[in-house]
Amino acid sequence: MSDSTPAAPAVLDIWCELQCPDCHHALTDVHALRARYGDRIEVRLRHFPLEKHKHSYAAAQAVEEAAAQGKDWPYIEAVLARTDDLAGTGEPMLIEVAGELGLDAEEFDTALIDGRHMLIVDADQAEGKAIGVTGTPTYVIGGERLDGGKSQEGLRERIQEIADRLLAGQG
Protein backbone atom coordinates (compact mmCIF):
# COMPACT_ATOMS: atom_id res chain seq x y z
CA MET A 1 0.00 0.00 0.00
CA SER A 2 1.33 3.44 -0.76
CA ASP A 3 0.44 7.06 -0.57
CA SER A 4 -0.75 8.37 -3.90
CA THR A 5 2.18 10.78 -4.16
CA PRO A 6 3.21 10.86 -7.82
CA ALA A 7 6.78 9.72 -8.55
CA ALA A 8 8.62 10.93 -5.47
CA PRO A 9 12.38 10.92 -6.02
CA ALA A 10 12.97 8.79 -2.90
CA VAL A 11 10.84 5.90 -1.64
CA LEU A 12 10.83 4.68 1.95
CA ASP A 13 9.13 1.34 2.47
CA ILE A 14 8.22 0.57 6.07
CA TRP A 15 7.52 -3.10 6.76
CA CYS A 16 5.06 -2.83 9.59
CA GLU A 17 2.28 -4.52 11.46
CA LEU A 18 -0.41 -2.69 13.35
CA GLN A 19 -0.30 -4.71 16.56
CA CYS A 20 3.42 -3.93 17.03
CA PRO A 21 4.25 -1.34 19.72
CA ASP A 22 7.60 -0.60 18.00
CA CYS A 23 5.71 0.35 14.83
CA HIS A 24 3.68 2.81 16.90
CA HIS A 25 6.92 4.44 18.08
CA ALA A 26 8.19 4.55 14.49
CA LEU A 27 5.41 7.03 13.65
CA THR A 28 7.47 9.76 15.30
CA ASP A 29 10.18 9.15 12.70
CA VAL A 30 7.64 9.04 9.87
CA HIS A 31 6.23 12.42 10.93
CA ALA A 32 9.72 13.93 11.15
CA LEU A 33 10.71 12.58 7.74
CA ARG A 34 7.53 13.90 6.14
CA ALA A 35 8.10 17.31 7.74
CA ARG A 36 11.68 17.40 6.46
CA TYR A 37 11.14 16.08 2.93
CA GLY A 38 7.49 16.73 2.08
CA ASP A 39 6.60 15.24 -1.29
CA ARG A 40 10.24 14.53 -2.16
CA ILE A 41 9.96 11.24 -0.27
CA GLU A 42 7.20 8.69 -0.69
CA VAL A 43 6.46 6.75 2.50
CA ARG A 44 4.84 3.39 1.83
CA LEU A 45 3.51 1.07 4.50
CA ARG A 46 4.23 -2.55 3.61
CA HIS A 47 2.43 -5.31 5.47
CA PHE A 48 4.35 -7.79 7.57
CA PRO A 49 1.90 -9.35 10.03
CA LEU A 50 3.67 -11.39 12.68
CA GLU A 51 2.30 -14.73 13.86
CA LYS A 52 2.78 -13.74 17.51
CA HIS A 53 0.10 -11.03 17.09
CA LYS A 54 -3.15 -12.81 16.28
CA HIS A 55 -5.01 -9.74 14.95
CA SER A 56 -2.20 -8.32 12.81
CA TYR A 57 -3.33 -10.04 9.61
CA ALA A 58 -6.88 -8.69 9.94
CA ALA A 59 -5.44 -5.25 10.73
CA ALA A 60 -3.37 -5.33 7.53
CA GLN A 61 -6.49 -6.15 5.52
CA ALA A 62 -8.34 -3.33 7.30
CA VAL A 63 -5.62 -0.87 6.25
CA GLU A 64 -6.20 -1.85 2.65
CA GLU A 65 -9.92 -1.22 3.07
CA ALA A 66 -9.11 2.18 4.61
CA ALA A 67 -6.93 2.90 1.57
CA ALA A 68 -9.80 1.91 -0.72
CA GLN A 69 -11.95 4.42 1.16
CA GLY A 70 -9.28 7.15 0.97
CA LYS A 71 -8.00 7.29 4.56
CA ASP A 72 -5.06 4.92 4.79
CA TRP A 73 -2.62 6.92 6.94
CA PRO A 74 -5.25 8.34 9.32
CA TYR A 75 -6.44 4.76 9.85
CA ILE A 76 -2.90 3.39 10.29
CA GLU A 77 -2.12 6.02 12.90
CA ALA A 78 -5.40 5.53 14.76
CA VAL A 79 -4.90 1.77 15.00
CA LEU A 80 -1.23 2.04 15.97
CA ALA A 81 -2.27 4.36 18.79
CA ARG A 82 -4.37 1.49 20.18
CA THR A 83 -2.13 -1.58 19.87
CA ASP A 84 -3.22 -2.80 23.31
CA ASP A 85 -6.91 -2.46 22.37
CA LEU A 86 -6.28 -4.39 19.16
CA ALA A 87 -4.62 -7.19 21.11
CA GLY A 88 -7.63 -7.41 23.42
CA THR A 89 -10.60 -6.92 21.12
CA GLY A 90 -9.39 -7.66 17.58
CA GLU A 91 -11.67 -7.10 14.61
CA PRO A 92 -14.42 -5.22 16.48
CA MET A 93 -11.85 -2.54 17.33
CA LEU A 94 -10.76 -2.31 13.68
CA ILE A 95 -14.35 -1.69 12.65
CA GLU A 96 -14.87 0.78 15.51
CA VAL A 97 -11.85 2.85 14.39
CA ALA A 98 -13.23 2.91 10.84
CA GLY A 99 -16.50 4.34 12.16
CA GLU A 100 -14.66 6.94 14.26
CA LEU A 101 -12.87 8.14 11.12
CA GLY A 102 -16.10 8.40 9.14
CA LEU A 103 -15.38 5.36 7.00
CA ASP A 104 -18.00 2.82 5.99
CA ALA A 105 -17.73 0.42 8.95
CA GLU A 106 -20.12 -2.09 7.38
CA GLU A 107 -17.87 -2.28 4.34
CA PHE A 108 -14.90 -2.91 6.65
CA ASP A 109 -16.76 -5.79 8.24
CA THR A 110 -17.59 -7.22 4.82
CA ALA A 111 -13.99 -6.80 3.61
CA LEU A 112 -12.67 -8.68 6.64
CA ILE A 113 -15.16 -11.50 6.03
CA ASP A 114 -14.70 -11.83 2.26
CA GLY A 115 -10.91 -11.39 2.35
CA ARG A 116 -10.80 -9.09 -0.67
CA HIS A 117 -7.47 -7.59 0.43
CA MET A 118 -5.68 -10.82 1.39
CA LEU A 119 -3.62 -10.99 -1.81
CA ILE A 120 -2.10 -7.55 -1.20
CA VAL A 121 -1.16 -8.47 2.37
CA ASP A 122 0.24 -11.84 1.29
CA ALA A 123 2.28 -10.25 -1.53
CA ASP A 124 3.81 -7.68 0.83
CA GLN A 125 4.67 -10.34 3.38
CA ALA A 126 6.22 -12.60 0.73
CA GLU A 127 8.31 -9.73 -0.65
CA GLY A 128 9.43 -8.82 2.86
CA LYS A 129 10.54 -12.38 3.54
CA ALA A 130 12.35 -12.47 0.19
CA ILE A 131 14.44 -9.42 1.07
CA GLY A 132 15.21 -10.59 4.60
CA VAL A 133 12.62 -8.82 6.74
CA THR A 134 12.25 -10.76 9.99
CA GLY A 135 10.59 -8.21 12.28
CA THR A 136 8.87 -4.87 12.41
CA PRO A 137 9.45 -2.10 11.77
CA THR A 138 11.97 -2.65 9.00
CA TYR A 139 12.80 0.19 6.63
CA VAL A 140 14.02 -0.07 3.05
CA ILE A 141 15.31 3.02 1.28
CA GLY A 142 17.72 3.23 -1.62
CA GLY A 143 18.10 -0.55 -1.59
CA GLU A 144 19.29 -0.56 2.02
CA ARG A 145 17.40 -2.50 4.70
CA LEU A 146 17.38 -1.05 8.22
CA ASP A 147 15.98 -3.21 11.03
CA GLY A 148 14.01 -1.20 13.57
CA GLY A 149 12.64 -4.23 15.35
CA LYS A 150 15.72 -4.49 17.56
CA SER A 151 16.25 -0.76 18.15
CA GLN A 152 15.00 2.53 16.71
CA GLU A 153 18.22 4.18 17.89
CA GLY A 154 19.82 6.21 15.09
CA LEU A 155 17.50 4.95 12.36
CA ARG A 156 15.96 8.32 11.48
CA GLU A 157 19.44 9.79 11.02
CA ARG A 158 20.49 6.86 8.82
CA ILE A 159 17.31 7.17 6.73
CA GLN A 160 17.97 10.90 6.34
CA GLU A 161 21.55 10.25 5.18
CA ILE A 162 20.32 7.83 2.52
CA ALA A 163 17.41 10.10 1.48
CA ASP A 164 19.75 13.11 1.20
CA ARG A 165 22.10 11.06 -0.98
CA LEU A 166 19.23 9.85 -3.20
CA LEU A 167 17.74 13.32 -3.52
CA ALA A 168 21.13 14.88 -4.33
CA GLY A 169 21.50 12.34 -7.14
CA GLN A 170 18.09 13.33 -8.55
CA GLY A 171 18.90 17.00 -8.86
Side-chain angles (χ1 to χ4, degrees), residues 5-84:
T5 307
V11 175
L12 172 64
D13 283 332
I14 304 172
W15 301 88
C16 179
E17 69 115 278
L18 297 188
Q19 203 174 328
C20 171
D22 290 334
C23 289
H24 169 74
H25 297 300
L27 280 177
T28 303
D29 289 337
V30 170
H31 292 150
L33 292 165
R34 283 189 169 145
R36 178 176 175 145
Y37 295 106
D39 63 359
R40 296 180 303 141
I41 190 167
E42 178 182 0
V43 179
R44 300 188 306 192
L45 180 113
R46 305 296 301 274
H47 303 293
F48 202 79
L50 300 171
E51 288 183 25
K52 68 181 180 179
H53 294 138
K54 74 177 193 174
H55 303 295
S56 63
Y57 194 83
Q61 292 179 75
V63 166
E64 290 302 322
E65 183 57 32
Q69 294 188 32
K71 289 194 177 176
D72 47 357
W73 279 98
Y75 188 82
I76 291 164
E77 293 189 23
V79 173
L80 280 173
R82 296 169 60 178
T83 55
D84 289 340

Side-chain angles (χ1 to χ4, degrees), residues 143-164:
E144 294 190 45
R145 188 182 73 237
L146 306 166
D147 184 358
K150 295 182 176 89
S151 171
Q152 296 285 304
E153 185 78 27
L155 282 182
R156 183 187 321 167
E157 293 78 13
R158 184 70 187 118
I159 292 167
Q160 288 173 343
E161 288 171 14
I162 297 167
D164 289 343

Side-chain angles (χ1 to χ4, degrees), residues 80-102:
L80 280 173
R82 296 169 60 178
T83 55
D84 289 340
D85 288 350
L86 179 56
T89 59
E91 291 182 20
M93 192 221 77
L94 297 170
I95 295 165
E96 179 182 318
V97 169
E100 291 168 2
L101 293 173

